[in-house]
Amino acid sequence: MSTNAALFERAQRSIPGGVNSPVRAFKAVGGTPRFIAKAQGAYMWDAEGRRYIDYIGSWGPMILGHGHPEVLEAVQKAALDGFSFGAPTEREVELAEEILKLVPSVEQVRLVSSGTEAAMSAIRLARGFTGRSKLIKFEGCYHGHADALLVKAGSGLATFGHPTSAGVPPEVVQHTLVLEYNNVEQIEQAFAEVGSDIACVMIEPIAGNMNFVRASVPFMKRLRELCTQHGALLVFDEVMSGFRVALGGAQSLYAEQISGFTPDLSVFGKVIGGGMPLAAFAGPAKVMAQLAPLGPVYQAGTLSGNPVATACGLATLKVIQRPGFFESLAQRTQSLVQGLVGAAQRAGVPLVGDSQGGMFGFFFADALPQHYQAVMAHGSDKFNRFFHAMLDRGVYLAPAMYEAGFVSDAHTEQDIADTVAAAAQALG
Ligand SMILES: *Cc1c(COP(=O)(O)O)cnc(C)c1O
Protein backbone atom coordinates (compact mmCIF):
# COMPACT_ATOMS: atom_id res chain seq x y z
CA MET A 1 0.00 0.00 0.00
CA SER A 2 1.24 3.49 -0.90
CA THR A 3 1.37 6.02 1.90
CA ASN A 4 0.22 9.62 1.47
CA ALA A 5 3.83 10.72 1.90
CA ALA A 6 5.12 8.32 -0.77
CA LEU A 7 2.38 9.37 -3.19
CA PHE A 8 3.13 13.04 -2.57
CA GLU A 9 6.84 12.41 -3.22
CA ARG A 10 6.00 10.63 -6.45
CA ALA A 11 3.37 13.21 -7.51
CA GLN A 12 5.84 16.05 -7.16
CA ARG A 13 8.08 14.45 -9.77
CA SER A 14 5.43 14.48 -12.52
CA ILE A 15 2.98 17.23 -11.46
CA PRO A 16 4.03 20.75 -10.38
CA GLY A 17 3.77 20.83 -6.60
CA GLY A 18 2.20 17.37 -6.75
CA VAL A 19 -1.29 18.77 -7.27
CA ASN A 20 -3.59 19.89 -10.06
CA SER A 21 -5.07 22.81 -8.08
CA PRO A 22 -2.87 24.70 -5.61
CA VAL A 23 -4.86 24.66 -2.36
CA ARG A 24 -4.82 20.85 -2.35
CA ALA A 25 -1.10 20.99 -1.60
CA PHE A 26 -1.60 21.97 2.08
CA LYS A 27 0.85 24.84 1.59
CA ALA A 28 -1.23 27.12 3.84
CA VAL A 29 -1.50 24.64 6.71
CA GLY A 30 1.71 22.64 6.23
CA GLY A 31 2.03 18.86 6.27
CA THR A 32 1.36 16.16 3.71
CA PRO A 33 -1.81 16.20 1.62
CA ARG A 34 -4.03 13.17 1.92
CA PHE A 35 -4.42 11.25 -1.32
CA ILE A 36 -8.05 10.24 -1.51
CA ALA A 37 -8.78 6.71 -2.63
CA LYS A 38 -12.58 6.74 -2.43
CA ALA A 39 -15.54 8.52 -0.92
CA GLN A 40 -19.05 7.54 0.07
CA GLY A 41 -21.78 9.63 1.66
CA ALA A 42 -20.19 12.05 4.14
CA TYR A 43 -16.84 10.23 4.24
CA MET A 44 -13.59 10.07 2.32
CA TRP A 45 -10.85 7.46 2.74
CA ASP A 46 -7.22 8.22 2.04
CA ALA A 47 -4.59 5.97 0.46
CA GLU A 48 -3.73 4.58 3.91
CA GLY A 49 -7.32 3.54 4.55
CA ARG A 50 -8.05 6.30 7.09
CA ARG A 51 -11.58 7.65 7.12
CA TYR A 52 -12.45 11.36 7.32
CA ILE A 53 -15.72 13.20 7.74
CA ASP A 54 -15.63 15.39 4.64
CA TYR A 55 -16.42 19.11 5.02
CA ILE A 56 -14.95 20.08 1.65
CA GLY A 57 -17.32 18.14 -0.59
CA SER A 58 -15.05 18.82 -3.59
CA TRP A 59 -15.20 22.53 -2.60
CA GLY A 60 -18.95 22.63 -2.83
CA PRO A 61 -20.39 20.37 -5.53
CA MET A 62 -21.15 17.31 -3.38
CA ILE A 63 -24.28 18.67 -1.70
CA LEU A 64 -25.81 15.17 -1.64
CA GLY A 65 -22.63 13.58 -0.34
CA HIS A 66 -20.56 11.17 -2.39
CA GLY A 67 -22.08 8.42 -4.52
CA HIS A 68 -25.75 9.32 -4.06
CA PRO A 69 -27.59 6.33 -5.61
CA GLU A 70 -29.89 8.39 -7.88
CA VAL A 71 -27.01 10.48 -9.19
CA LEU A 72 -24.84 7.43 -9.70
CA GLU A 73 -27.60 5.72 -11.68
CA ALA A 74 -28.13 8.80 -13.90
CA VAL A 75 -24.40 9.03 -14.62
CA GLN A 76 -24.04 5.32 -15.38
CA LYS A 77 -27.01 5.44 -17.74
CA ALA A 78 -25.72 8.54 -19.51
CA ALA A 79 -22.24 7.07 -19.90
CA LEU A 80 -23.66 4.03 -21.68
CA ASP A 81 -25.24 6.35 -24.27
CA GLY A 82 -21.99 8.13 -25.04
CA PHE A 83 -19.48 10.49 -23.47
CA SER A 84 -19.55 13.47 -25.82
CA PHE A 85 -21.02 14.21 -29.23
CA GLY A 86 -20.19 17.78 -30.23
CA ALA A 87 -23.84 18.18 -31.13
CA PRO A 88 -26.82 19.33 -29.06
CA THR A 89 -28.67 16.99 -26.69
CA GLU A 90 -32.06 17.05 -24.99
CA ARG A 91 -30.45 16.85 -21.56
CA GLU A 92 -28.77 20.24 -22.00
CA VAL A 93 -32.19 21.74 -22.63
CA GLU A 94 -33.58 19.99 -19.57
CA LEU A 95 -30.78 21.34 -17.38
CA ALA A 96 -31.23 24.88 -18.77
CA GLU A 97 -34.99 24.64 -18.13
CA GLU A 98 -34.34 23.42 -14.60
CA ILE A 99 -32.08 26.42 -13.88
CA LEU A 100 -34.69 28.81 -15.33
CA LYS A 101 -37.32 27.29 -13.08
CA LEU A 102 -35.21 27.68 -9.93
CA VAL A 103 -33.70 31.13 -10.59
CA PRO A 104 -36.27 33.76 -11.65
CA SER A 105 -33.62 36.27 -12.86
CA VAL A 106 -32.51 33.79 -15.53
CA GLU A 107 -34.21 33.64 -18.93
CA GLN A 108 -31.41 31.93 -20.83
CA VAL A 109 -28.34 29.99 -19.85
CA ARG A 110 -25.14 28.91 -21.57
CA LEU A 111 -23.41 25.81 -20.20
CA VAL A 112 -19.63 25.60 -19.90
CA SER A 113 -17.18 23.31 -18.11
CA SER A 114 -15.74 25.34 -15.20
CA GLY A 115 -16.52 28.31 -13.00
CA THR A 116 -13.46 30.07 -14.35
CA GLU A 117 -14.78 29.78 -17.88
CA ALA A 118 -18.26 30.92 -16.83
CA ALA A 119 -17.02 34.03 -14.98
CA MET A 120 -14.64 34.95 -17.80
CA SER A 121 -17.42 34.58 -20.37
CA ALA A 122 -19.91 36.57 -18.27
CA ILE A 123 -17.46 39.48 -18.22
CA ARG A 124 -16.93 39.32 -21.98
CA LEU A 125 -20.70 39.29 -22.41
CA ALA A 126 -21.17 42.27 -20.06
CA ARG A 127 -18.50 44.19 -21.94
CA GLY A 128 -19.99 43.26 -25.30
CA PHE A 129 -23.51 44.16 -24.22
CA THR A 130 -22.61 47.53 -22.67
CA GLY A 131 -19.80 48.46 -25.06
CA ARG A 132 -17.73 49.38 -21.98
CA SER A 133 -14.38 48.11 -20.69
CA LYS A 134 -14.12 48.58 -16.94
CA LEU A 135 -15.20 46.16 -14.27
CA ILE A 136 -15.39 46.25 -10.51
CA LYS A 137 -14.56 43.29 -8.29
CA PHE A 138 -14.07 43.05 -4.53
CA GLU A 139 -10.97 42.08 -2.63
CA GLY A 140 -11.25 38.52 -1.30
CA CYS A 141 -13.81 37.40 -3.87
CA TYR A 142 -12.59 34.68 -6.24
CA HIS A 143 -14.06 34.37 -9.71
CA GLY A 144 -11.70 31.79 -11.18
CA HIS A 145 -8.31 32.42 -12.72
CA ALA A 146 -9.03 34.42 -15.86
CA ASP A 147 -6.35 37.09 -16.36
CA ALA A 148 -8.59 40.13 -15.82
CA LEU A 149 -9.75 38.74 -12.46
CA LEU A 150 -6.39 37.95 -10.87
CA VAL A 151 -6.09 41.41 -9.40
CA LYS A 152 -5.55 43.00 -6.04
CA ALA A 153 -6.40 46.53 -5.03
CA GLY A 154 -4.12 49.36 -6.11
CA SER A 155 -2.77 51.88 -3.62
CA GLY A 156 -5.55 54.41 -4.06
CA LEU A 157 -9.20 53.98 -4.91
CA ALA A 158 -8.90 55.64 -8.29
CA THR A 159 -5.93 53.48 -9.26
CA PHE A 160 -6.67 50.26 -10.99
CA GLY A 161 -5.47 46.94 -9.65
CA HIS A 162 -2.22 45.02 -9.74
CA PRO A 163 -1.98 41.45 -11.07
CA THR A 164 -1.80 38.82 -8.32
CA SER A 165 -0.17 36.30 -10.62
CA ALA A 166 2.99 36.36 -12.68
CA GLY A 167 2.17 36.09 -16.35
CA VAL A 168 -0.66 38.64 -16.20
CA PRO A 169 0.54 41.84 -17.86
CA PRO A 170 -0.51 45.05 -16.04
CA GLU A 171 -2.25 46.25 -19.21
CA VAL A 172 -4.58 43.25 -19.01
CA VAL A 173 -5.89 44.29 -15.58
CA GLN A 174 -5.91 48.02 -16.24
CA HIS A 175 -9.69 47.97 -16.53
CA THR A 176 -10.27 46.05 -13.32
CA LEU A 177 -11.04 48.10 -10.23
CA VAL A 178 -10.77 46.25 -6.91
CA LEU A 179 -12.80 47.58 -3.98
CA GLU A 180 -13.38 46.60 -0.37
CA TYR A 181 -16.30 44.23 0.23
CA ASN A 182 -19.22 45.77 2.13
CA ASN A 183 -17.81 49.30 1.74
CA VAL A 184 -20.64 51.53 0.50
CA GLU A 185 -18.51 54.71 0.33
CA GLN A 186 -16.02 53.06 -2.02
CA ILE A 187 -18.63 51.91 -4.54
CA GLU A 188 -20.26 55.33 -4.46
CA GLN A 189 -16.95 57.03 -5.11
CA ALA A 190 -16.00 54.57 -7.88
CA PHE A 191 -19.30 55.09 -9.69
CA ALA A 192 -19.02 58.84 -9.24
CA GLU A 193 -15.59 58.78 -10.88
CA VAL A 194 -15.91 56.21 -13.67
CA GLY A 195 -19.57 55.11 -13.59
CA SER A 196 -20.20 55.57 -17.31
CA ASP A 197 -17.22 53.32 -18.18
CA ILE A 198 -18.23 50.40 -15.97
CA ALA A 199 -19.46 47.34 -17.86
CA CYS A 200 -20.17 45.27 -14.77
CA VAL A 201 -19.69 44.70 -11.08
CA MET A 202 -18.92 41.09 -10.22
CA ILE A 203 -19.50 39.88 -6.69
CA GLU A 204 -19.77 36.74 -4.60
CA PRO A 205 -22.97 37.66 -2.73
CA ILE A 206 -22.00 35.34 0.09
CA ALA A 207 -18.25 35.18 -0.24
CA GLY A 208 -16.85 31.68 0.23
CA ASN A 209 -13.32 32.37 -0.88
CA MET A 210 -12.45 34.54 2.12
CA ASN A 211 -13.90 32.00 4.54
CA PHE A 212 -17.58 33.03 4.87
CA VAL A 213 -18.56 36.70 4.61
CA ARG A 214 -22.00 37.99 3.68
CA ALA A 215 -22.54 41.10 1.62
CA SER A 216 -24.72 43.25 3.90
CA VAL A 217 -28.24 44.06 2.74
CA PRO A 218 -27.65 47.86 2.68
CA PHE A 219 -24.45 47.33 0.66
CA MET A 220 -26.20 45.08 -1.86
CA LYS A 221 -29.14 47.47 -2.12
CA ARG A 222 -26.82 50.40 -2.88
CA LEU A 223 -24.80 48.32 -5.34
CA ARG A 224 -27.99 47.44 -7.23
CA GLU A 225 -29.10 51.09 -7.31
CA LEU A 226 -25.73 52.31 -8.58
CA CYS A 227 -25.52 49.64 -11.31
CA THR A 228 -29.02 50.48 -12.52
CA GLN A 229 -28.39 54.23 -12.38
CA HIS A 230 -25.15 53.98 -14.38
CA GLY A 231 -26.16 51.22 -16.79
CA ALA A 232 -23.64 48.68 -15.46
CA LEU A 233 -24.56 45.02 -15.13
CA LEU A 234 -24.60 43.45 -11.67
CA VAL A 235 -23.08 39.98 -12.02
CA PHE A 236 -23.66 37.52 -9.19
CA ASP A 237 -20.94 34.91 -9.02
CA GLU A 238 -22.96 32.09 -7.49
CA VAL A 239 -20.53 29.33 -8.45
CA MET A 240 -20.28 28.49 -4.75
CA SER A 241 -23.51 29.90 -3.30
CA GLY A 242 -25.86 28.79 -6.10
CA PHE A 243 -28.10 25.84 -5.15
CA ARG A 244 -26.02 25.65 -1.94
CA VAL A 245 -27.12 28.44 0.42
CA ALA A 246 -30.74 28.14 -0.80
CA LEU A 247 -32.53 26.50 -3.70
CA GLY A 248 -32.67 29.83 -5.55
CA GLY A 249 -29.11 30.77 -4.57
CA ALA A 250 -28.00 33.83 -2.61
CA GLN A 251 -30.00 36.04 -4.95
CA SER A 252 -33.22 34.56 -3.57
CA LEU A 253 -32.15 35.66 -0.06
CA TYR A 254 -31.48 39.27 -1.17
CA ALA A 255 -34.76 39.28 -3.11
CA GLU A 256 -36.55 38.49 0.17
CA GLN A 257 -34.99 41.53 1.83
CA ILE A 258 -34.69 44.09 -0.99
CA SER A 259 -37.89 44.82 -2.86
CA GLY A 260 -37.64 43.88 -6.56
CA PHE A 261 -34.00 42.80 -6.23
CA THR A 262 -32.44 40.81 -9.04
CA PRO A 263 -28.91 40.56 -10.44
CA ASP A 264 -28.43 41.08 -14.18
CA LEU A 265 -26.20 38.09 -14.87
CA SER A 266 -25.50 35.01 -12.77
CA VAL A 267 -22.59 32.60 -12.82
CA PHE A 268 -23.06 29.04 -11.61
CA GLY A 269 -20.84 26.01 -11.13
CA LYS A 270 -20.04 23.46 -8.43
CA VAL A 271 -23.48 22.15 -7.32
CA ILE A 272 -24.98 22.35 -10.83
CA GLY A 273 -22.47 19.73 -11.96
CA GLY A 274 -22.90 17.53 -8.89
CA GLY A 275 -19.15 16.77 -9.03
CA MET A 276 -18.72 16.69 -12.81
CA PRO A 277 -17.07 19.50 -14.84
CA LEU A 278 -20.04 21.75 -15.50
CA ALA A 279 -20.79 25.44 -14.98
CA ALA A 280 -22.99 28.10 -16.53
CA PHE A 281 -23.59 31.77 -17.01
CA ALA A 282 -27.07 33.11 -17.39
CA GLY A 283 -29.29 36.15 -17.57
CA PRO A 284 -32.04 37.96 -19.46
CA ALA A 285 -32.66 36.87 -23.05
CA LYS A 286 -31.80 40.31 -24.44
CA VAL A 287 -28.32 40.14 -22.91
CA MET A 288 -27.74 36.47 -23.69
CA ALA A 289 -28.73 37.14 -27.32
CA GLN A 290 -25.39 38.95 -27.72
CA LEU A 291 -23.66 35.54 -27.63
CA ALA A 292 -22.55 33.61 -30.69
CA PRO A 293 -24.19 32.22 -32.79
CA LEU A 294 -26.88 34.95 -32.34
CA GLY A 295 -24.69 37.93 -31.59
CA PRO A 296 -21.16 39.32 -31.77
CA VAL A 297 -19.79 38.05 -28.41
CA TYR A 298 -17.81 34.89 -29.12
CA GLN A 299 -17.87 31.96 -26.70
CA ALA A 300 -17.59 28.21 -27.30
CA GLY A 301 -16.56 24.86 -25.78
CA THR A 302 -15.84 21.36 -27.09
CA LEU A 303 -17.14 19.73 -23.90
CA SER A 304 -19.77 22.37 -23.00
CA GLY A 305 -23.04 20.77 -21.91
CA ASN A 306 -21.35 17.39 -21.77
CA PRO A 307 -23.97 14.60 -21.69
CA VAL A 308 -22.54 12.78 -18.66
CA ALA A 309 -21.99 16.00 -16.70
CA THR A 310 -25.50 17.27 -17.44
CA ALA A 311 -26.96 13.94 -16.27
CA CYS A 312 -25.04 14.29 -13.02
CA GLY A 313 -26.11 17.92 -12.54
CA LEU A 314 -29.76 17.25 -13.37
CA ALA A 315 -30.01 14.32 -10.98
CA THR A 316 -28.43 16.46 -8.25
CA LEU A 317 -30.81 19.38 -8.85
CA LYS A 318 -33.79 17.00 -8.76
CA VAL A 319 -32.92 15.69 -5.31
CA ILE A 320 -32.27 19.10 -3.73
CA GLN A 321 -35.77 20.23 -4.73
CA ARG A 322 -37.47 17.69 -2.49
CA PRO A 323 -39.60 19.27 0.26
CA GLY A 324 -37.62 20.07 3.39
CA PHE A 325 -34.22 19.41 1.82
CA PHE A 326 -32.72 22.84 2.52
CA GLU A 327 -34.41 23.25 5.92
CA SER A 328 -32.90 20.00 7.08
CA LEU A 329 -29.47 20.72 5.56
CA ALA A 330 -29.44 24.23 7.07
CA GLN A 331 -30.42 22.87 10.48
CA ARG A 332 -27.51 20.37 10.53
CA THR A 333 -25.10 23.03 9.28
CA GLN A 334 -26.25 25.41 12.03
CA SER A 335 -25.88 22.76 14.67
CA LEU A 336 -22.30 22.15 13.48
CA VAL A 337 -21.43 25.86 13.76
CA GLN A 338 -23.19 26.18 17.15
CA GLY A 339 -21.34 23.07 18.32
CA LEU A 340 -17.97 24.51 17.28
CA VAL A 341 -18.73 27.85 18.94
CA GLY A 342 -19.87 26.10 22.13
CA ALA A 343 -16.80 23.85 22.25
CA ALA A 344 -14.57 26.90 21.79
CA GLN A 345 -16.34 28.77 24.59
CA ARG A 346 -15.81 25.85 26.95
CA ALA A 347 -12.12 25.76 25.95
CA GLY A 348 -11.78 29.53 26.40
CA VAL A 349 -10.89 30.06 22.73
CA PRO A 350 -12.46 33.01 20.88
CA LEU A 351 -14.38 31.63 17.90
CA VAL A 352 -17.33 32.92 15.88
CA GLY A 353 -19.16 31.27 13.01
CA ASP A 354 -21.93 31.72 10.50
CA SER A 355 -23.78 29.56 7.99
CA GLN A 356 -26.44 29.65 5.31
CA GLY A 357 -28.00 26.52 3.85
CA GLY A 358 -25.20 23.96 3.56
CA MET A 359 -22.29 26.43 3.62
CA PHE A 360 -20.48 27.62 6.74
CA GLY A 361 -17.45 29.44 8.05
CA PHE A 362 -15.77 30.06 11.39
CA PHE A 363 -13.09 32.47 12.56
CA PHE A 364 -10.81 32.50 15.56
CA ALA A 365 -12.03 36.00 16.40
CA ASP A 366 -14.54 37.84 18.60
CA ALA A 367 -16.73 39.15 15.78
CA LEU A 368 -17.54 38.16 12.19
CA PRO A 369 -15.30 40.06 9.75
CA GLN A 370 -16.96 42.11 7.00
CA HIS A 371 -14.18 42.23 4.43
CA TYR A 372 -10.94 40.60 3.31
CA GLN A 373 -8.46 42.65 5.37
CA ALA A 374 -10.45 41.85 8.51
CA VAL A 375 -10.48 38.14 7.61
CA MET A 376 -6.72 38.06 7.12
CA ALA A 377 -5.98 40.25 10.18
CA HIS A 378 -6.30 37.30 12.52
CA GLY A 379 -3.40 35.30 11.20
CA SER A 380 -3.54 31.61 10.47
CA ASP A 381 -1.60 30.05 13.39
CA LYS A 382 -4.66 29.00 15.39
CA PHE A 383 -6.52 27.78 12.33
CA ASN A 384 -3.56 25.75 11.06
CA ARG A 385 -3.09 23.98 14.41
CA PHE A 386 -6.83 23.37 14.64
CA PHE A 387 -6.92 22.02 11.08
CA HIS A 388 -4.25 19.41 11.81
CA ALA A 389 -5.73 18.50 15.19
CA MET A 390 -9.06 17.86 13.43
CA LEU A 391 -7.45 15.94 10.56
CA ASP A 392 -5.70 13.70 13.11
CA ARG A 393 -9.15 13.04 14.59
CA GLY A 394 -10.68 12.10 11.23
CA VAL A 395 -12.31 15.41 10.29
CA TYR A 396 -11.33 16.93 6.95
CA LEU A 397 -11.81 20.73 6.91
CA ALA A 398 -10.69 22.96 4.04
CA PRO A 399 -6.89 23.27 4.34
CA ALA A 400 -6.76 27.09 4.54
CA MET A 401 -8.44 29.58 6.88
CA TYR A 402 -9.81 31.63 3.98
CA GLU A 403 -12.05 28.87 2.62
CA ALA A 404 -15.67 28.12 3.46
CA GLY A 405 -16.87 24.71 4.62
CA PHE A 406 -19.64 22.52 3.25
CA VAL A 407 -22.10 20.15 4.85
CA SER A 408 -23.91 17.61 2.66
CA ASP A 409 -27.25 15.88 3.01
CA ALA A 410 -25.30 12.71 3.82
CA HIS A 411 -23.93 14.22 7.05
CA THR A 412 -25.95 12.81 9.94
CA GLU A 413 -26.59 14.32 13.37
CA GLN A 414 -24.09 11.72 14.60
CA ASP A 415 -21.42 12.95 12.15
CA ILE A 416 -21.97 16.50 13.43
CA ALA A 417 -21.78 15.32 17.06
CA ASP A 418 -18.57 13.39 16.32
CA THR A 419 -17.11 16.49 14.66
CA VAL A 420 -17.98 18.69 17.64
CA ALA A 421 -16.47 16.12 20.02
CA ALA A 422 -13.26 16.13 17.96
CA ALA A 423 -13.28 19.93 18.02
CA ALA A 424 -13.67 19.99 21.81
CA GLN A 425 -10.53 17.84 22.12
CA ALA A 426 -8.65 19.80 19.48
CA LEU A 427 -9.51 23.17 21.00
CA GLY A 428 -8.57 21.91 24.45
C1 LIG B 1 -14.85 27.79 -7.41
C2 LIG B 1 -15.23 29.16 -7.81
C3 LIG B 1 -14.95 29.66 -9.09
C4 LIG B 1 -14.12 28.93 -10.09
O1 LIG B 1 -14.70 27.74 -10.48
P1 LIG B 1 -13.76 26.58 -11.13
O2 LIG B 1 -14.74 25.55 -11.56
O3 LIG B 1 -12.82 26.16 -10.04
O4 LIG B 1 -13.04 27.22 -12.26
C5 LIG B 1 -15.46 30.90 -9.43
N1 LIG B 1 -16.17 31.62 -8.56
C6 LIG B 1 -16.44 31.19 -7.31
C7 LIG B 1 -17.26 32.02 -6.40
C8 LIG B 1 -15.97 29.95 -6.89
O5 LIG B 1 -16.19 29.53 -5.64
Side-chain angles (χ1 to χ4, degrees):
M1 186 175 67
S2 294
T3 62
N4 292 305
L7 283 169
F8 193 40
E9 260 302 303
R10 185 175 142 209
Q12 287 176 90
R13 276 181 246 131
S14 55
I15 300 172
V19 293
N20 282 310
S21 196
V23 80
R24 296 178 196 169
F26 276 25
K27 223 178 149 187
V29 290
T32 307
R34 303 304 189 260
F35 279 68
I36 303 304
K38 65 171 181 176
Q40 183 58 50
Y43 311 122
M44 299 198 293
W45 285 264
D46 70 12
E48 298 171 20
R50 286 207 55 189
R51 193 195 84 168
Y52 304 90
I53 305 176
D54 176 19
Y55 289 104
I56 301 185
S58 184
W59 301 91
M62 311 312 298
I63 195 166
L64 303 179
H66 300 278
H68 187 283
E70 286 167 60
V71 179
L72 208 52
E73 195 194 325
V75 167
Q76 283 169 335
K77 243 178 112 227
L80 289 175
D81 288 336
F83 289 178
S84 187
F85 314 121
T89 61
E90 184 174 357
R91 215 174 286 124
E92 295 163 76
V93 186
E94 281 180 62
L95 181 56
E97 288 170 350
E98 205 68 19
I99 295 169
L100 264 57
K101 187 178 88 188
L102 297 175
V103 188
S105 69
V106 171
E107 289 175 356
Q108 291 204 323
V109 48
R110 169 78 37 103
L111 302 179
V112 295
S113 301
S114 74
T116 293
E117 206 186 340
M120 179 186 82
S121 303
I123 283 170
R124 186 179 304 146
L125 176 61
R127 284 170 161 168
F129 177 74
T130 58
R132 301 171 176 183
S133 299
K134 296 198 190 307
L135 65 99
I136 290 178
K137 79 174 284 286
F138 298 94
E139 191 157 34
C141 288
Y142 178 67
H143 306 296
H145 60 90
D147 283 358
L149 293 164
L150 291 179
V151 198
K152 63 174 187 282
S155 48
L157 177 55
T159 56
F160 282 80
H162 302 300
T164 53
S165 167
V168 178
E171 307 82 60
V172 172
V173 300
Q174 66 179 333
H175 296 301
T176 308
L177 183 53
V178 185
L179 304 182
E180 189 175 81
Y181 201 73
N182 276 326
N183 187 325
V184 172
E185 291 80 53
Q186 284 198 3
I187 50 168
E188 287 183 336
Q189 197 186 327
F191 271 99
E193 285 173 15
V194 290
S196 60
D197 299 330
I198 296 172
C200 67
V201 177
M202 183 171 264
I203 186 166
E204 280 186 79
I206 296 178
N209 289 287
M210 49 172 157
N211 198 326
F212 181 102
V213 183
R214 296 166 190 268
S216 78
V217 170
F219 174 75
M220 193 59 83
K221 186 164 180 286
R222 192 71 189 115
L223 195 54
R224 178 65 275 181
E225 288 166 359
L226 287 165
C227 285
T228 304
Q229 197 181 320
H230 292 268
L233 300 186
L234 178 58
V235 185
F236 260 35
D237 182 348
E238 297 230 46
V239 170
M240 195 177 271
S241 58
F243 315 102
R244 163 60 72 177
V245 299
L247 190 53
Q251 54 193 274
S252 69
L253 305 172
Y254 289 96
E256 281 167 16
Q257 297 177 77
I258 304 169
S259 160
F261 180 87
T262 175
D264 296 303
L265 295 179
S266 299
V267 183
F268 300 109
K270 297 191 169 118
V271 169
I272 62 163
M276 290 273 176
L278 197 144
F281 61 107
K286 73 166 192 296
V287 182
M288 299 301 284
Q290 297 297 310
L291 284 172
L294 295 176
V297 178
Y298 192 70
Q299 187 278 330
T302 300
L303 298 176
S304 291
N306 175 270
V308 183
T310 48
C312 187
L314 260 177
T316 302
L317 293 188
K318 287 258 155 64
V319 178
I320 68 173
Q321 288 177 60
R322 298 211 171 123
F325 179 91
F326 270 93
E327 288 80 354
S328 157
L329 179 64
Q331 188 261 318
R332 276 169 284 161
T333 310
Q334 272 164 23
S335 72
L336 171 68
V337 171
Q338 282 161 8
L340 293 177
V341 170
Q345 264 165 7
R346 286 188 291 280
V349 177
L351 187 145
V352 285
D354 195 4
S355 69
Q356 187 72 47
M359 178 172 162
F360 69 94
F362 61 90
F363 302 89
F364 288 100
D366 296 314
L368 291 171
Q370 297 300 304
H371 55 75
Y372 181 73
Q373 295 298 341
V375 170
M376 300 315 277
H378 294 287
S380 52
D381 295 2
K382 277 199 186 108
F383 175 82
N384 292 352
R385 288 175 62 199
F386 181 65
F387 169 83
H388 278 292
M390 293 297 275
L391 197 64
D392 291 345
R393 288 168 177 79
V395 179
Y396 200 135
L397 298 166
M401 65 171 250
Y402 46 80
E403 303 287 355
F406 303 96
V407 174
S408 81
D409 194 45
H411 287 76
T412 62
E413 292 288 357
Q414 189 60 51
D415 293 323
I416 305 288
D418 292 346
T419 304
V420 172
Q425 285 182 7
L427 290 160

